[in-house]
């Protein structure tokens, strides 16, 4: 990549291990990807693929038995993996905002939402009292809470799930971060509310041009929101492609398997459902060679012997010895 | 047709029971030691009486040997390593007999409490509504009285009804009942709350849709799933029951002297504490504490192991 | 009532009473409680799969428990018209949570054999065991799994075991309450395909409940849509998706993001899901409906039959076959 813009976030060979009774098990195995300025990178995979761990490793939120044991994380030239815990705390919520699946994990139940917003703004932006409050009210309005003055004084439990998630989004964005990591932000919500939250995230992204890492297991959400997509499988990157290419011409057999296994009406309304045999291997049970080989219809001898490296090709990358050819629909 | 799915590689590694036990023991040396102490004391209490005459029947006594101090003291005799009591009983034999009674009483009273409290808890949790409210109100009232006091009241009432002319068996039965009834509430509460969780599980609904009766659902499905925590409590309560019995006997309202428990021995020895014959009460005290503390530590450990919130973390 | 009617729900309602304190009971004030299922009428025919969709809290699981007989309705009747043998059909149910639906203290063999033993479908140990092995293979597991315990299986495999247990009862009617909602997509596809094979081969009549429209579209012959305890529309699968008659159905279809990357528009439904304990007056959907008029706020809409045997509850006969007819009111910014 010669004339590509410098990425905002560059993750290389990120490795995370889990200590299980003294035995080290690899949870993330040399995961590499980057996020360009203003871009939405989707991270997709089945549960247990390592999506949440990837997000948590970037903002140094891993707790034992999880531990980052290798790789570099660079945010706009700063090596996050070398920062002191104190410096990391100011990056968290400042340069990097985050939104989790359960809004209550980010909200303090005994402090009003207005106060929580003010605290975050003050901690990272160093504004005066009046300006802080004005900014907090402004954010409540921007995330679509009716009557911000009233909501300002309310406690998290007085809000519905959708409203809480809006507050969390305001918290994530109020300090003008360069990057927002959203881990399954709509998974706990009903379809009709989910679309609201996605629309809000999209609007705010367009207004502020913040970069986003959108972690989800839902390919529908990916199709509507992401610019590029990283597919994770068993703690490794299977494929990274621009969203259109991913859905229309996937390179990795797992990507195509996942797409075809998702029940969705095709353009003609006809339903199709192709399954992948077997299940994703659990931690510490990843087969030698390509992690996908026991389930892959293209697997050959080399797949069982060697872990395929990440091959870069034009705009996409994939870790497969026998990638799918570009076929027209 | 879908292909056969392989067993997940993530499944637990299968180990033999022996290997599992060894592993568990290596991880918890303290409780393992306690288990060894308990087993040793059990063997002592039940094996020694097989090979010796009962010193509490006339033939076992010899007054000539009374008040002999432990073997390492001056006047000690190598025939009686821990000394003898006022009637010349070898303390090693006497304590084995006493311990045996204590353990039997403790075990039986815990069983009674468990069966009584367990059934009431099962019914309260499963049926719910008014039945539940009634049982739990009774439990609340009973909790207002200390268990020891309650055991004394029940014991006294039973004696009043049965009169003072009683066989040893009746006396033991009364003590067992008193302690058992005094402790049912804890089992009932624990079982009730587990039952209320289990009865709403989908596997119970599935059994009901299949056509199982309430009784077979309780016995076959719910009971096996709620027993672990109460068995742990029962272990801990075994210690408490033994202490309660000892206290009753010490106060003179428990087991008759002709079939002594550790409590009776301590009570007897207490009379000679002032005059310097300390060993008559101190050895039974020590052995009682050793047994009860070991049982409690083991029980606590089992509770941690069975605590669902801690399970799966290791 | 026609000969093909298998299950008939006649104005079925279920109210969950709030647990009242003693004081409240003494004061005798009727707080009402949550009307989780409200006046649902529905007929399921022999051999068909009836689908039921709706957002969480709309009463789907409650309806499933009513039909299965685990609970009695507060009002209305649920009846299975007598079949040729004159007795109530055998039921089985598959639940959403594959972890709570298997007794962890039982072996897989005992779990699957339970309906066989209760209904005395096979006699003798070896015959029962042979049937269990056969069922395990039928659902894609192996006979060797019979000796294991549920803890040794993944979520998808547990759901296969649940299916085997349900089939062991040789049911005439199968109730499936979100059977794949707890599973990953690749495993969900396996389970859905398995269920489709079984539908085809065993001619089962079933009630298939889910919140996922695509899943129900694959599985069901006819679909009912629920909103806040009410059945708001019912039609054949094809018709429901091509020509929905109720605005909520249309909006629900559009709200779930599909995998088309060329059209990235999102279609949220205005407003929030009201608390099911306090449903809005008149048409329950009026707080979110882009077509709502005054009449909708005051008057409960009638049940209207369609010419194709379906039903919908709306004051108006709207043409909703096209997704892009919505007035801009649908963009109201609240959730
Ligand atoms: N705190 C933890 N302790 C042990 N294992 C963990 C922990 N957190 C996550 N894991 C394991 O790491 C793997 C990846 O987890 P995660 O990143 O949460 O997956 P997902 O893609 O579903 O977000 C899973 O197999 C999970 O069981
Ligand atoms: N046991 C119960 N007691 C009181 N309310 C309940 C109970 N079960 C469900 N509800 C309420 O009834 C409504 C419908 O619930 P449910 O049938 O589980 O909906 P669904 O399965 O569609 O999500 C919800 O508002 C729920 O809170
Ligand atoms: S490397 Fe081999 S096994 Fe892995 S995805 Fe590619 S073809 Fe399949
Ligand atoms: S009755 Fe009125 S509010 Fe209800 S769905 Fe029809 S148009 Fe909308
Ligand atoms: Mg996750
Ligand atoms: Mg439900």
């Amino acid at each position: 990549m010669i004339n590509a813009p410098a990425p905002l976030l560059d993750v290389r060979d990120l490795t995370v291990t889990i200590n299980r009774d003294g035995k080290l098990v690899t949870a993330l195995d040399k995961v590499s990807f980057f996020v360009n300025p203003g871009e939405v990178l989707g991270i997709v995979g089945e549960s247990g693929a390592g999506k949440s761990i990837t997000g948590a490793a970037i903002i140094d939120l891993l707790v034992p038995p999880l531990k980052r044991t290798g790789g570099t994380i660079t945010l706009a030239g700063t090596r996050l993996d070398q920062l002191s815990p104190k410096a990391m705390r100011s990056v968290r919520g400042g340069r990097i905002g985050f939104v989790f699946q359960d809004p209550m994990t980010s909200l303090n139940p005994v402090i009003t939402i207005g106060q929580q917003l003010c605290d975050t703004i003050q901690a990272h932006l160093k504004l005066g009292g009046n300006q802080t409050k004005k900014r907090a009210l402004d954010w409540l309005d921007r995330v679509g809470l009716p009557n911000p003055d009233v909501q300002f004084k309310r406690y998290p439990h007085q809000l519905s799930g959708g409203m809480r998630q809006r507050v969390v989004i305001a918290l994530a964005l109020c300090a003008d971060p360069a990057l927002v990591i959203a881990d399954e932000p709509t998974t706990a919500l009903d379809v009709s509310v989910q679309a609201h939250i996605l629309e809000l995230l999209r609007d705010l992204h367009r207004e502020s041009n913040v970069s986003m890492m959108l972690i989800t297991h839902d390919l529908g959400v990916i199709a509507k929101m992401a610019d590029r997509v990283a597919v994770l499988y068993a703690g490794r990157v299977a494929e990274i492609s621009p969203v259109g290419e991913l859905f229309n011409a996937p390179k990795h057999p797992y990507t195509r398997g996942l797409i075809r296994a998702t029940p969705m009406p095709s353009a003609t309304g006809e339903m199709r459902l192709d399954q992948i045999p077997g299940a994703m291997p659990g931690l510490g049970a990843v087969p030698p060679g390509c992690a996908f080989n026991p389930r892959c219809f293209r697997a050959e001898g080399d797949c069982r012997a060697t872990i395929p490296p990440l091959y870069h090709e034009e705009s996409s990358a994939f870790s497969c010895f026998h990638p799918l050819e570009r076929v027209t629909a | 047709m879908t292909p056969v799915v392989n067993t997940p590689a993530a499944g637990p590694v299968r180990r033999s029971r022996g290997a599992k036990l060894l592993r568990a023991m290596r991880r918890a040396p303290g409780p393992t030691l306690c288990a060894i102490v308990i087993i040793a004391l059990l063997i002592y209490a039940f094996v020694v009486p097989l090979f010796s005459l009962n010193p509490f029947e006339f033939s076992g006594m010899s007054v000539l040997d009374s008040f002999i101090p432990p073997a390492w003291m001056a006047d000690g005799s190598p025939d009686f390593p821990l000394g003898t009591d006022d009637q010349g009983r070898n303390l090693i034999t006497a304590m084995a007999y006493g311990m045996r009674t204590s353990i039997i009483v403790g075990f039986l009273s815990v069983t009674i409490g468990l069966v009584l409290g367990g059934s009431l808890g099962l019914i309260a949790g499963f049926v719910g509504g008014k039945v539940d409210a009634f049982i739990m109100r009774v439990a609340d009232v009973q909790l207002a009285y200390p268990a020891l006091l309650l055991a004394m009241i029940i014991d006294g009432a039973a004696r009043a009804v049965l009169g003072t002319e009683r066989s040893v068996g009746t006396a033991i039965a009364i003590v067992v009942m008193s302690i058992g009834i005094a402790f049912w509430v804890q089992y009932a509460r624990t079982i009730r709350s587990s039952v209320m969780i289990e009865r709403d599980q989908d596997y119970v609904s599935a059994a009901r849709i299949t056509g199982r009766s309430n009784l077979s659902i309780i016995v076959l499905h719910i009971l096996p799933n709620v027993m672990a925590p109460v068995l742990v409590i029962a272990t801990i309560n075994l210690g408490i029951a033994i202490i309660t019995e000892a206290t009753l006997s010490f106060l003179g309202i428990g087991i008759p002297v002709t079939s002594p428990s550790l409590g009776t021995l301590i009570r007897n020895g207490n009379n000679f504490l002032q005059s310097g014959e300390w060993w008559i009460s101190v050895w039974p005290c020590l052995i009682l504490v050793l047994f009860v503390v070991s049982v409690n530590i083991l029980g606590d450990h089992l509770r941690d192991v069975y605590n669902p919130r801690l399970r799966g973390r290791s | 009532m026609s000969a093909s009617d298998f299950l008939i729900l006649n104005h079925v309602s279920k109210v969950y009473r709030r647990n009242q304190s003693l004081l409240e009971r003494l004061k005798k004030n009727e707080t009402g409680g949550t009307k989780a299922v409200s006046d649902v009428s529905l007929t399921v025919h022999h051999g068909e799969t009836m689908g039921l969709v709706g957002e969480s809290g709309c009463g789907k699981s409650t309806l499933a428990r009513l039909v299965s007989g685990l609970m009695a309705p507060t009002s209305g009747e649920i009846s299975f018209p007598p079949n040729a043998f004159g007795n109530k059909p055998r039921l089985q149910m598959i639940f959403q949570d594959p972890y709570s639906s298997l007794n962890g203290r039982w072996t897989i063999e005992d779990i699957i054999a339970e309906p066989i033993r209760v209904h005395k479908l096979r006699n003798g140990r070896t015959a029962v065991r042979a049937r269990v092995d056969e069922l395990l293979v039928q659902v894609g597991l192996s006979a060797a799994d019979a000796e294991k315990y549920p803890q040794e299986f993944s979520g998808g495999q547990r759901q296969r075991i649940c299916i085997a247990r349900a089939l062991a009862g040789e049911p005439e009617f199968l109730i499936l309450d979100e059977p794949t909602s707890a599973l990953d997509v690749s495993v969900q596809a396996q389970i859905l395909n398995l269920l489709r094979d079984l539908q085809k081969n065993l001619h089962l009549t079933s009630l298939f409940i889910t919140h996922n429209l695509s899943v129900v579209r694959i599985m069901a012959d006819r679909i009912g849509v629920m909103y806040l305890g009410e059945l708001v529309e019912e039609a054949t699968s094809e018709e429901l998706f091509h020509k929905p008659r109720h605005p909520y159905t249309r909006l629900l279809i559009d709200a779930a993001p599909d995998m088309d990357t060329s059209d990235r528009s999102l279609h949220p439904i205005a407003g929030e899901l009201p608390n099911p304990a306090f449903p809005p007056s008149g048409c329950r959907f009026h707080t979110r409906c882009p077509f709502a008029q005054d009449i909708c706020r005051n008057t409960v809409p009638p049940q209207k039959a369609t010419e194709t045997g379906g039903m919908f509850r709306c004051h108006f006969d709207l043409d909703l076959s096209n997704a892009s007819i919505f007035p801009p009111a649908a963009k109201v910014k609240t959730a």
Side-chain angles (χ1 to χ4, degrees), chain A residues 65 112 241-242 247 324:
Chain A
T112 61
S241 291
F247 282 98
L324 303 165

Side-chain angles (χ1 to χ4, degrees), chain C residues 56-85:
Chain C
S56 68
C58 72
K60 306 181 297 292
S61 296
T62 305
L63 198 66
R65 297 177 84 79
L66 289 171
V67 170
S68 67
L70 287 170
M71 289 189 309
T74 312
S75 65
E77 299 109 54
I78 297 170
S79 58
F80 294 91
N83 57 11
F85 311 100

Side-chain angles (χ1 to χ4, degrees), chain B residues 62-76:
Chain B
S62 81
V63 189
L64 290 179
D65 294 331
S66 63
F67 295 121
I68 295 180
W72 61 89
M73 286 173 63
D75 304 334

Side-chain angles (χ1 to χ4, degrees), chain B residues 271-294:
Chain B
N271 299 329
F272 308 101
L273 211 51
Q274 301 297 329
S275 52
E277 286 89 13
W278 53 268
W279 56 91
I280 305 181
S281 62
V282 164
W283 295 137
C285 269
L286 277 183
I287 211 166
L288 179 69
V289 167
L290 189 63
F291 187 75
V292 169
V293 166
S294 301

Side-chain angles (χ1 to χ4, degrees), chain A residues 18 20 27 45-54 63-66 183 283:
Chain A
I18 299 182
R20 275 203 178 156
E46 296 177 90
S47 67
K51 307 183 293 296
S52 298
I53 291 182
T54 306
V63 285
L66 298 169
D183 188 355
L283 279 182

Side-chain angles (χ1 to χ4, degrees), chain A residues 23-242:
Chain A
K23 224 175 64 189
L24 292 184
V25 184
T26 307
L28 279 191
D29 191 3
K30 299 211 175 95
V31 167
S32 301
F33 60 88
F34 60 89
V35 185
N36 287 323
E39 182 185 51
V40 179
L41 177 75
I43 301 217
V44 71
E46 296 177 90
S47 67
K51 307 183 293 296
S52 298
I53 291 182
T54 306
I58 291 170
I59 47 178
D60 197 25
L61 276 185
L62 294 179
V63 285
L66 298 169
K67 191 172 184 309
R68 195 182 62 224
T69 50
T72 62
I73 303 165
T74 317
L75 180 75
T78 315
R79 284 283 294 274
L80 296 186
D81 50 307
Q82 292 173 340
L83 287 183
S84 68
K86 184 155 172 283
M88 195 64 217
R89 265 200 299 282
S90 77
V91 169
R92 237 182 272 144
R95 300 276 290 144
I96 302 181
F98 41 89
V99 179
F100 295 115
Q101 172 173 343
D102 177 5
M104 285 317 264
T105 56
S106 321
L107 294 174
N108 186 329
V110 296
I111 301 180
T112 61
I113 58 173
Q115 192 57 48
Q116 296 189 43
L117 269 171
C118 288
D119 289 350
T120 307
I121 294 168
Q122 233 152 12
H124 296 289
L125 294 184
K126 319 259 182 294
L127 296 176
N130 275 344
Q131 266 182 303
T132 304
K133 176 156 185 194
K134 200 167 148 284
R135 197 180 165 92
L137 285 171
D138 184 43
W139 268 105
L140 287 179
D141 186 43
R142 281 179 78 180
V143 296
L145 264 72
N147 308 324
D149 313 320
V150 182
Q151 308 289 350
F152 190 87
K153 299 194 194 70
R154 299 180 84 182
Y155 291 90
H157 68 91
Q158 295 173 304
L159 304 177
S160 69
M163 287 295 178
R164 278 184 213 145
Q165 201 58 298
R166 285 171 187 263
V167 174
V168 172
I169 290 169
L171 275 172
L173 283 157
C174 65
D176 278 335
L179 173 74
V180 169
I181 299 175
D183 188 355
E184 309 261 8
T186 59
T187 302
L189 307 171
D190 270 310
V191 266
S192 66
V193 184
Q194 161 174 304
H196 278 291
I197 299 294
L198 292 179
E199 193 153 74
L200 173 67
L201 279 174
R202 174 186 287 176
D203 289 348
L204 293 173
H205 170 251
R206 284 194 183 139
E207 287 165 24
S208 63
N209 213 30
V210 63
S211 298
M212 222 154 79
M213 253 176 80
L214 181 63
I215 298 172
T216 176
H217 68 278
D218 186 333
L219 282 173
V221 170
I222 290 287
K224 298 301 167 204
M225 300 292 292
D227 300 319
R228 280 189 312 126
V229 186
V231 182
L232 291 193
Y233 185 80
R236 295 178 192 157
V237 172
E239 169 165 7
I240 304 181
S241 291

